[in-house]
Amino acid sequence: MARINPAYRRLTAGYLFPEIARRTREFQAETPGANILRLGIGDTTEPLAPEIISGLHGAVDRLASRETYSGYGDSEGQAALREAIAAHYRALGADVRAADVFVSDGAKSDSANIQSIFATDNTVAVQDPAYPVYVDSNVIAGRTGLKNDRGQYEGLVYMPCTAENGFFPELPTEKVDIIYICSPNNPTGTVATREQLQGFVDYARRHKAVILFDSAYADFISDPSLPRSIYEIEGARECAIEINSFSKSAGFTGVRLGWTLVPAELRAEDGEPGELQKMWTRRQNTFFNGPSNIVQAGGLAALSATGRAQTLEIVKYYMENARLILDCLQSLGLTTYGGTNAPYVWMKTPDGMGSWDFFDKLLHECHVVGTPGAGFGPSGEGYFRLSAFGHRENIVAATERIRDQLVR
Ligand code: PGU
């Protein structure tokens, strides 16, 4: 008799973005003429850089002849791409080696799967609000109880990120074992400083905890004083895993390519340095056959000098969108955060409105979709996220509608 994984029953709602898509479809069905503008999910919209297109084409062509055809590759990723990713980090001043790099089909799967190399009785700390995958993957793994009336899953440690602490948490007062940090942050758009990250690295070293650092938006940082990788921080190689992606910086949300760095020195409380790197190798060798060889050629092209120059221009385009959104909201007297080193603008809802109520208001009055802060955790209540990904004309139209049609 087959029995289900009961942990799935503890999940209280559907995954956030399909839920938003469902409500949007419902509204579209009721309002057939509405031209809905989507600033909800952080999904890239601009065409791939020409250098990437040519890299992808080259790999397709190599599959057309016996001499250059390739089949299964290493599940850790192609050696040349692992080396190019390591070199990309070294250029930032971060100590990363090719052997630390595990190429994947994106940061979502890695950030959901990485918890599987840690014992189920580890105490997990998450920023609140946070990218929902960190919490949901730990619920599914059986590390939590049910959600309580404060909107928190029992057994997880929620680290509030609020306007009062600049959206970066204080160090946990209790001993925690696994700590998720996302910087530039989804959803608040804020970036951790070197000092803030050093505080967490020092905590992790003291308590033999492990930091899971999601840097999917690192390329959106323009302020040179802000760290783009946890490995720019002294001591991070022994206590941190970093997850990153080509999705947002190179427009690969549909192409699919990312990576995880598990350094050789990384250690757990009850293991030797190197053991976690071996375990992640074993995990990937067993569960994954590597990303598509075509897509890896695209990734390699994205990291070439020409590819980088072209993709960073597209990043600038999205950041100009962010500026337009910030301008609009601020001109209406709304309180905003983020949007200068991250492609998300985080705003306080007007008059303390609930964030799902504001979602409905924006959709009904302006036909604009955003993401309610509460979808990212209880401390997101009273806030709202607008994504800067989108065609310029749609961002301009959305800001005009917000200016002219939002009832105040
Ligand atoms: N990590 C963070 C912090 C993210 O915000 C996202 C995407 C990912 C990882 C996923 O990266 P991939 O490499 O493409 O897998 N966040 C988007 C999309 C939502 C989703 O469900 O992934 C967002 O709107 O928050």
Side-chain angles (χ1 to χ4, degrees):
M1 212 164 38
R3 280 164 300 120
I4 62 159
N5 174 356
Y8 276 82
R9 290 199 174 131
R10 293 183 201 130
L11 292 166
T12 47
Y15 185 66
L16 177 60
F17 293 100
E19 176 60 21
I20 287 171
R22 189 189 63 75
R23 290 184 187 221
T24 309
R25 271 195 310 275
E26 229 172 69
F27 176 76
Q28 183 78 78
E30 292 159 13
T31 327
N35 166 25
I36 299 176
L37 298 172
R38 289 157 211 273
L39 279 62
I41 190 163
D43 193 5
T44 49
T45 55
E46 299 313 294
L48 294 180
E51 188 68 9
I52 298 174
I53 293 293
S54 113
L56 293 168
H57 277 302
V60 170
D61 291 342
R62 286 193 291 282
L63 293 175
S65 83
R66 275 183 125 165
E67 289 68 38
T68 52
Y69 173 84
S70 63
Y72 287 129
D74 294 337
S75 57
E76 295 90 338
Q78 293 172 355
L81 181 56
R82 298 175 82 193
E83 180 46 43
I85 290 170
H88 168 75
Y89 277 92
R90 288 196 292 271
L92 298 176
D95 179 12
V96 173
R97 301 154 209 168
D100 307 330
V101 180
F102 296 81
V103 187
S104 72
D105 66 345
K108 186 180 204 167
S109 19
D110 282 354
S111 61
N113 290 327
I114 194 71
Q115 49 73 30
S116 71
I117 59 173
F118 297 98
T120 27
D121 60 0
N122 277 307
T123 303
V124 172
V126 290
Q127 286 173 288
D128 171 26
Y131 180 46
V133 170
Y134 314 146
V135 167
D136 288 3
S137 61
N138 277 289
V139 174
I140 289 168
R143 278 196 192 87
T144 73
L146 294 171
K147 205 180 242 184
N148 62 29
D149 51 13
R150 279 166 295 140
Q152 303 181 337
Y153 285 99
E154 293 291 350
L156 287 185
V157 173
Y158 287 74
M159 304 186 291
C161 297
T162 58
E164 289 68 44
N165 61 17
F167 300 101
F168 192 80
E170 283 81 31
L171 292 172
T173 45
E174 63 272 74
K175 180 180 179 306
V176 300
D177 308 305
I178 311 282
I179 304 165
Y180 288 82
I181 298 178
C182 176
S183 178
N185 189 263
N186 176 15
T188 65
T190 50
V191 185
T193 64
R194 267 168 219 287
E195 295 68 34
Q196 287 171 328
L197 291 185
Q198 189 71 62
F200 270 84
V201 166
D202 293 345
Y203 173 96
R205 289 168 86 191
R206 254 193 330 273
H207 294 285
K208 296 201 163 55
V210 171
I211 296 170
L212 303 177
F213 188 74
D214 187 334
S215 59
Y217 302 98
D219 275 339
F220 292 79
I221 296 177
S222 54
D223 180 343
S225 71
L226 294 169
R228 286 150 206 247
S229 165
I230 189 92
Y231 304 113
E232 293 180 52
I233 307 303
E234 175 71 36
R237 282 186 62 85
E238 65 180 77
C239 66
I241 288 173
E242 179 161 322
I243 297 167
N244 202 332
S245 172
F246 287 91
S247 279
K248 314 299 166 121
S249 52
F252 275 37
T253 50
V255 177
R256 311 300 308 145
L257 194 66
W259 68 87
T260 285
L261 306 174
V262 187
E265 293 90 324
L266 183 74
R267 49 92 203 99
E269 187 173 350
D270 56 352
E272 296 299 315
E275 203 172 342
L276 287 167
Q277 192 189 65
K278 286 202 192 89
M279 283 169 68
W280 188 244
T281 305
R282 186 70 172 84
R283 193 270 172 207
Q284 292 299 79
N285 289 173
T286 308
F287 284 68
F288 190 51
N289 259 326
S292 144
N293 45 15
I294 300 167
V295 171
Q296 291 190 75
L300 202 54
L303 291 175
S304 69
T306 311
R308 283 291 291 168
Q310 292 174 350
T311 54
L312 291 178
E313 281 305 310
I314 304 171
V315 165
K316 270 197 207 149
Y317 176 93
Y318 292 129
M319 289 311 293
E320 173 61 13
N321 288 348
R323 196 189 63 75
L324 293 169
I325 297 168
L326 279 175
D327 265 10
C328 161
L329 300 177
Q330 288 168 2
S331 75
L332 295 175
L334 293 161
T335 308
T336 62
Y337 306 93
T340 53
N341 290 289
Y344 295 122
V345 172
W346 186 240
M347 58 170 276
K348 234 177 158 31
T349 56
D351 311 317
M353 202 173 194
S355 55
W356 279 105
D357 292 337
F358 187 71
F359 172 87
D360 287 333
K361 179 178 165 69
L362 194 65
L363 184 58
H364 284 84
E365 293 171 6
C366 307
H367 300 174
V368 170
V369 178
T371 310
F376 299 98
S379 296
E381 184 52 277
Y383 291 93
F384 199 75
R385 190 191 83 173
L386 289 169
S387 159
F389 294 105
H391 299 314
R392 176 68 44 78
E393 62 273 25
N394 290 344
I395 301 289
V396 169
T399 57
E400 282 168 356
R401 285 194 206 161
I402 293 172
R403 243 186 221 117
D404 301 341
Q405 295 168 33
L406 191 71
V407 178
R408 303 176 47 78

